[in-house]
Amino acid sequence: MKREEAISKITGIAEQAASRAGIEVVEVELKGSGRSHLLRIYIDRPEGVTHADCELVSRAVSAALDEEDPIPGSYELEVSSPGVERKLGKWQDWLRFCGKKVKVVLKEPVVLETEITKRTQADLKSFDGMISRAENQTVTVQLAGGKEVTFPLEQVDRANLKFEW
């Protein structure tokens, strides 16, 4: 089984195990090769993840993986929270975290114009701000100075929440 197929199969197993308890699977990572692998599953729920949530998903996924065996050789399973600066990967993440601070890196820069002169002020590819709108697969982020950057979701290379320490 190819790595992508294994990850897809594992994601399905994890989502089935987690959804019963109202837990979201944020991301599944499979690292390593040959006979030794690290399988990392990140889970979340609106009120936060507890140790018991991680244990519940770990036990259910482990039992299902032993039965289905999508990973050749041995593996180490880790189940944890995505953390306070979690990745934003799915459209639902942008909707859920509207009003929160983010760090965004786009695939291609967007042009930011001034309102008065309509002259190009900067090409932005990487920026921090607050998600002000998310609709129709398009996101608007308000920058520190009040200017807004709007981009289609498919333009996002990577993004994560920014936690204020």
Side-chain angles (χ1 to χ4, degrees):
M1 183 178 293
K2 292 182 180 178
R3 182 174 294 272
E4 295 82 26
E5 291 171 355
I7 291 171
S8 178
K9 179 95 170 154
I10 294 163
T11 299
I13 290 168
E15 286 175 343
Q16 185 176 11
S19 67
R20 293 183 193 127
I23 299 170
E24 170 197 8
V25 174
V26 175
E27 183 178 15
V28 174
E29 293 178 342
L30 181 61
K31 299 186 182 243
S33 60
R35 305 290 303 157
S36 180
H37 294 87
L38 172 62
L39 173 58
R40 192 173 288 141
I41 300 173
Y42 296 101
I43 61 172
D44 202 6
R45 61 169 63 207
E47 62 274 11
V49 174
T50 66
H51 187 276
D53 294 332
C54 293
E55 183 180 358
L56 178 117
V57 172
S58 178
R59 288 179 190 264
V61 168
S62 183
L65 290 177
D66 288 347
E67 191 175 302
E68 305 243 354
D69 200 25
I71 304 171
S74 64
Y75 65 91
E76 182 177 335
L77 174 61
E78 291 180 5
V79 178
S80 71
S81 159
V84 293
E85 292 197 341
R86 68 172 278 171
K87 291 180 184 177
L88 301 177
K90 304 172 188 169
W91 174 245
Q92 292 84 350
D93 295 339
W94 294 92
L95 295 171
R96 176 178 171 190
F97 295 109
C98 199
K100 302 290 184 187
K101 293 190 176 200
V102 292
K103 164 94 174 147
V104 179
V105 178
L106 300 175
K107 294 173 185 170
E108 299 291 328
V110 294
V111 176
L112 184 64
E113 298 177 340
T114 62
E115 287 300 312
I116 299 168
T117 63
K118 294 290 184 195
R119 290 187 186 159
T120 301
Q121 184 178 15
D123 287 343
L124 290 179
K125 187 172 179 179
S126 176
F127 49 89
D128 294 355
M130 182 190 68
I131 304 171
S132 59
R133 280 188 309 282
E135 53 193 26
N136 301 320
Q137 300 291 310
T138 301
V139 179
T140 300
V141 172
Q142 183 178 15
L143 305 177
K147 296 191 185 317
E148 292 187 328
V149 179
T150 301
F151 50 90
L153 183 63
E154 70 258 6
Q155 268 290 44
V156 177
D157 185 37
R158 62 187 178 277
N160 61 280
L161 293 179
K162 293 288 289 181
F163 183 72
E164 295 276 328
W165 298 97

